[in-house]
Amino acid sequence: MIHGNVTGLKPSQLKALERIANRRVPVGEVVTAELARYLTERSFEIGRQLGIIVDRQGTVRYVIVGDDREIVIPDLSSYALGRSGLRGLRCIHTHLKGEPLSQDDLTDLALLRLDLMMVLTVGQQGLPGKVHYAHLLPPNPEGKSVEVLSAPSIYALDLEAATFFRSLDEELERKMAETIDLADTREKAILISVSQQGRQQVEDSLDELAELARTADVLVVDRVMQRPRQLNPKYLMGEGKIKEVVIAALQQGATLLVFDQDLSPTQVRSLSAITDLKVVDRSQLILDIFARRAHTLDGKVQVELAQLKYILPRLTGKGTAFSRLMGGIGGRGPGETKLEIDRRRIRDRISRLEKQLQNLEKGRRQRRQRRIRTDVPIVSIVGYTNAGKSTLLNALTQSQVLTEDLLFATLDTATRRLRFPMEREVIITDTVGFIRHLPKSLMGAFKATLEELEDADLLLHVVDLSNPRFEEQMAAVEKILTDLELHRIPRLLVFNKIDLVPEEEVPPLCRRFEAIPVSARDRATFMPLLHELERRFWPDSGGTP
C-alpha cells in the first residue's frame, strides 16, 4: 500500500514503488542490503524521502512517500500493542541530505511504539550511505528512553532482527511487570490538568479526579499538571507536552488519558490523532460512573440521554475520535450508540428517550402530589458526594440504601419515612451527591433528583467534617443550590463524621457554622438532630423527641 505524497510522480516511478510493497524481508534481517539500495536509488531519483513499515514476519505493510524533508507515517492504530508495549512494526526511511535521525523520528518511535526507527542516508548517485537507527529502552536509572546507534553502511550493519526484537520484548515486559501488575485488568490512567488556576486549587481538583477514577474502577498510574500562560485551543496543552505525556503513558502501560477539564469535540479529535490511547474528560468519567450507578428506569433513561447528548457533537469529522473509546471507560451505557451509528439515528434515539422521560415524569409528579396531599413534611438530604448522606438515611430510618466509600455511590433517588412520637412522621429523600465544576450538560442527569428537591420543606445539608476541604465543598453545594433556584428552601447544616475529627475541634466549628454534629455510624449522636427536626416541624410540641 502506497501512502503519502505521490503527486507529480511518473507512472514508471509509481510502478517502481509498487514493487517495493511486494518485497519480503527475511525474519532475521531488519532490511536487506538489496532493498536498502533500491529505496535510496528511488528516493534519489524522485527527490523525496521514502519509507517502509515492516512487520516482524518481514511483510511490507506500507510504502510511504514524503517530501525532501520528512515522511508522514500513516495511522497504525489497527496494529495492537503487545504485552511489552511494542507494536511489532519497524520504520525504515531515507534521508536525502545525509542527516541522522531527527527529533521527529525519535518522537514517532516513542509515540507509535515501533520496534525500530532506521534512517538510510542517500549518498552519491543514490547509493546507500551511513545507517542510523534507534530503539526504545526499558525504564533505567539514567532516565534514557531511547538508544541511538549507527553503522558506517548497510553492509556493515550487524543486527539479527528476530533475536533482537525478542530480547527487547522480554526486557520491556520484565521492567513493566516490576512497576505494574500485568494481571490487573483495570484500565490504567494518567490524570491530566491544564489550568491557569492556583497550584493548590489544581491539586485539590486532581485529588477529586483521582477519587472519581477510583469510583470508576480505574487505576491511576501518574498525574500531570500544567499551568500554561495560554491554553492551546487544539490540544489544551502544548503539542510537545502532550507528546511527552503520551510517551510517558505508554512507558507506564497506561491505556487511558483523563483530563480534569472538559474537552471540546475538536480537542478530542486532535488528541486522538496523536495517540491511540483512549482520551476522556471529567464529564465523560462522571457519565461513566452514572451509567454504572443508575439502577431504576428513571436513572437509566436520564443517564443514556445525557451520554447521547454528550457524544452527538463529537461525531463530526472523520468519525474516529471516539472509535478508540469502545468498551471500558467512556464506552459504557448505550451499547448500540457507538460511532458507527450516524447522527440521525442518535437524534431519533434522543427524541424517543425524551418522550419516555416525560411519561416517567408524570408518574413521579403524581407520586409527589400524593405525598404533598398527606401533609407530611418532606426533608431532602443534599450534600457533596461521599459526605455520608445515604449512611445517615439508613441510620435514621433503619433502611438499606446502598452505601460505599465512593463518589456517586448513590445515583437513584431513595425515599424513606422517619417516624416521631405521637403518630407524626416526615418523609426523607436521599439525593445524588453534588460535585465541584459539574458541567451544565450533566445537570439533566440530575433532573429527577432536582424535582424532588423543589418539593422539600427542608434541605438537610450534610457535610463531611473530616475532609480538609469541607468549606470548599459546602460552598460548591451552596452554589449549585443557588444556580437551581433552591436557595429559598430552609436549610439545616449537619456536620457528619465527627468521629473522625478531634473531639475538641467539633464544638467551635459547629458554633461557627451553626451546624448540628452527628456521626452517621453512631445512632447515639442523633438526638440533637431529631430534636431540631421536631422543633422545626412541630414547634408547639414542646421540643422533646
Side-chain angles (χ1 to χ4, degrees):
M1 185 186 298
I2 298 177
H3 173 88
N5 177 26
V6 296
T7 307
L9 295 183
K10 299 174 184 176
S12 60
Q13 292 169 332
L14 285 171
K15 282 281 187 190
L17 296 179
E18 287 169 4
R19 282 195 286 273
I20 298 173
N22 298 324
R23 302 284 190 107
R24 284 191 73 86
V25 180
V27 173
E29 296 188 53
V30 177
V31 61
T32 62
E34 179 199 2
L35 179 53
R37 178 170 176 170
Y38 192 83
L39 283 170
T40 58
E41 287 177 342
R42 299 289 77 73
S43 183
F44 181 78
E45 178 190 348
I46 65 176
R48 305 178 193 184
Q49 289 190 11
L50 287 179
I52 54 174
I53 302 292
V54 184
D55 65 20
R56 292 197 183 178
Q57 288 71 48
T59 304
V60 176
R61 293 294 180 179
Y62 288 97
V63 177
I64 308 166
V65 185
D67 55 24
D68 61 338
R69 298 183 310 277
E70 64 179 2
I71 60 169
V72 177
I73 297 175
D75 180 14
L76 302 177
S77 58
S78 58
Y79 297 89
L81 299 179
R83 285 175 64 87
S84 66
L86 294 179
R87 206 174 290 278
L89 299 172
R90 57 189 180 271
C91 177
I92 299 117
H93 68 290
T94 61
H95 276 185
L96 293 167
K97 300 171 185 175
E99 65 269 37
L101 288 157
S102 67
Q103 186 56 51
D104 282 345
D105 289 332
L106 299 178
T107 300
D108 282 343
L109 169 69
L111 272 179
L112 301 175
R113 303 300 287 179
L114 300 174
D115 294 348
L116 196 76
M117 177 68 76
M118 177 176 282
V119 162
L120 305 169
T121 58
V122 179
Q124 294 181 344
Q125 283 76 51
L127 295 174
K130 196 170 184 180
V131 177
H132 304 277
Y133 60 101
H135 63 84
L136 297 176
L137 287 172
N140 54 78
E142 296 78 29
K144 282 181 66 178
S145 59
V146 173
E147 181 78 48
V148 179
L149 303 160
S150 62
S153 74
I154 190 65
Y155 307 103
L157 181 64
D158 182 21
L159 186 64
E160 208 289 322
T163 304
F164 172 75
F165 294 144
R166 188 163 53 250
S167 299
L168 186 59
D169 265 341
E170 290 170 358
E171 184 64 11
L172 286 169
E173 192 172 332
R174 185 177 64 80
K175 286 289 186 181
M176 195 175 286
E178 289 176 4
T179 55
I180 300 170
D181 181 4
L182 296 176
D184 191 336
T185 57
R186 287 181 294 172
E187 297 245 36
K188 299 169 182 67
I190 288 189
L191 308 184
I192 303 167
S193 176
V194 186
S195 174
Q196 295 170 314
Q197 293 181 309
R199 177 173 291 276
Q200 189 58 51
Q201 285 176 289
V202 173
E203 287 180 350
D204 288 350
S205 190
L206 269 177
D207 288 343
E208 191 166 87
L209 188 67
E211 276 299 299
L212 286 168
R214 184 174 72 88
T215 301
D217 201 28
V218 171
L219 177 64
V220 176
V221 297
D222 202 359
R223 295 159 54 137
V224 175
M225 182 171 69
Q226 190 183 39
R227 295 168 60 227
R229 292 181 182 175
Q230 196 168 355
L231 298 177
N232 186 312
K234 188 173 182 182
Y235 300 108
L236 198 61
M237 56 173 33
E239 185 174 356
K241 183 65 176 177
I242 188 61
K243 286 181 177 178
E244 282 180 26
V245 171
V246 171
I247 290 168
L250 292 166
Q251 287 172 336
Q252 296 175 77
T255 56
L256 185 66
L257 301 180
V258 183
F259 281 79
D260 196 26
Q261 290 71 32
D262 279 347
L263 298 172
S264 69
T266 301
Q267 287 167 339
V268 170
R269 287 193 295 276
S270 299
L271 290 164
S272 297
I274 285 182
T275 176
D276 54 352
L277 291 174
K278 291 190 281 188
V279 179
V280 300
D281 58 20
R282 185 185 180 94
S283 291
Q284 198 171 7
L285 188 63
I286 292 172
L287 277 171
D288 187 85
I289 295 168
F290 281 10
R292 288 166 175 260
R293 297 293 173 181
H295 299 298
T296 65
L297 182 59
D298 259 358
K300 289 176 180 177
V301 170
Q302 288 161 16
V303 170
E304 182 177 354
L305 192 57
Q307 286 179 311
L308 291 175
K309 286 183 175 179
Y310 180 88
I311 290 171
L312 185 59
R314 289 158 173 82
L315 290 173
T316 57
K318 62 181 181 179
T320 60
F322 270 64
S323 64
R324 293 169 186 143
L325 302 185
M326 295 179 67
I329 299 303
R332 191 174 284 101
E336 67 194 33
T337 55
K338 299 296 184 228
L339 260 198
E340 67 273 13
I341 298 181
D342 60 25
R343 287 166 162 269
R344 182 185 57 78
R345 291 181 64 190
I346 287 186
R347 286 199 183 100
D348 288 347
R349 179 66 177 156
I350 287 173
S351 178
R352 287 197 299 273
L353 288 172
E354 285 176 338
K355 286 177 184 174
Q356 188 177 359
L357 206 54
Q358 287 172 2
N359 293 331
L360 291 168
E361 283 171 8
K362 288 178 188 175
R364 283 202 306 270
R365 198 156 48 242
Q366 289 169 356
R367 288 192 296 274
R368 290 204 315 272
Q369 285 170 352
R370 281 199 296 270
R371 288 204 301 264
I372 292 168
R373 278 199 298 271
T374 60
D375 205 27
V376 175
I378 298 172
V379 177
S380 283
I381 303 178
V382 298
Y384 211 77
T385 182
N386 207 27
K389 300 181 297 300
S390 298
T391 306
L392 181 61
L393 175 69
N394 285 343
L396 282 170
T397 62
Q398 299 183 50
S399 55
Q400 294 296 320
V401 175
L402 172 72
T403 61
E404 289 183 72
D405 182 23
L406 296 171
L407 303 188
F408 299 116
T410 311
L411 178 62
D412 299 307
T413 304
T415 300
R416 301 289 184 271
R417 289 177 182 268
L418 174 62
R419 300 188 185 280
F420 286 82
M422 297 176 63
E423 300 297 321
R424 291 180 302 207
E425 63 183 10
V426 299
I427 292 172
I428 297 190
T429 302
D430 179 26
T431 61
V432 64
F434 295 149
I435 197 166
R436 280 182 301 183
H437 314 309
L438 185 69
K440 289 185 179 178
S441 60
L442 300 188
M443 293 304 279
F446 284 102
K447 193 166 184 184
T449 288
L450 304 182
E451 288 176 351
E452 298 285 350
L453 295 179
E454 288 171 2
D455 298 324
D457 297 299
L458 178 69
L459 298 181
L460 213 63
H461 182 176
V462 178
V463 177
D464 176 4
L465 191 62
S466 67
N467 192 302
R469 298 185 294 278
F470 78 90
E471 290 186 60
E472 294 172 36
Q473 294 182 349
M474 284 169 56
V477 172
E478 291 294 335
K479 183 180 184 307
I480 292 172
L481 291 174
T482 301
D483 290 345
L484 298 171
E485 298 181 354
L486 296 170
H487 52 284
R488 57 181 174 74
I489 300 175
R491 261 165 277 187
L492 176 59
L493 193 61
V494 176
F495 280 169
N496 189 22
K497 305 187 185 182
I498 58 171
D499 51 313
L500 304 178
V501 180
E503 192 175 340
E504 66 278 4
E505 293 181 16
V506 175
L509 287 170
C510 288
R511 284 195 298 271
R512 178 183 163 194
F513 292 100
E514 298 182 351
I516 293 177
V518 301
S519 169
R521 296 189 181 281
D522 182 5
R523 289 176 58 83
T525 65
F526 290 177
M527 290 306 291
L529 173 59
L530 295 170
H531 178 83
E532 179 61 21
L533 289 175
E534 192 170 28
R535 187 190 68 78
R536 291 204 179 203
F537 291 123
W538 305 287
D540 300 330
S541 66
T544 55

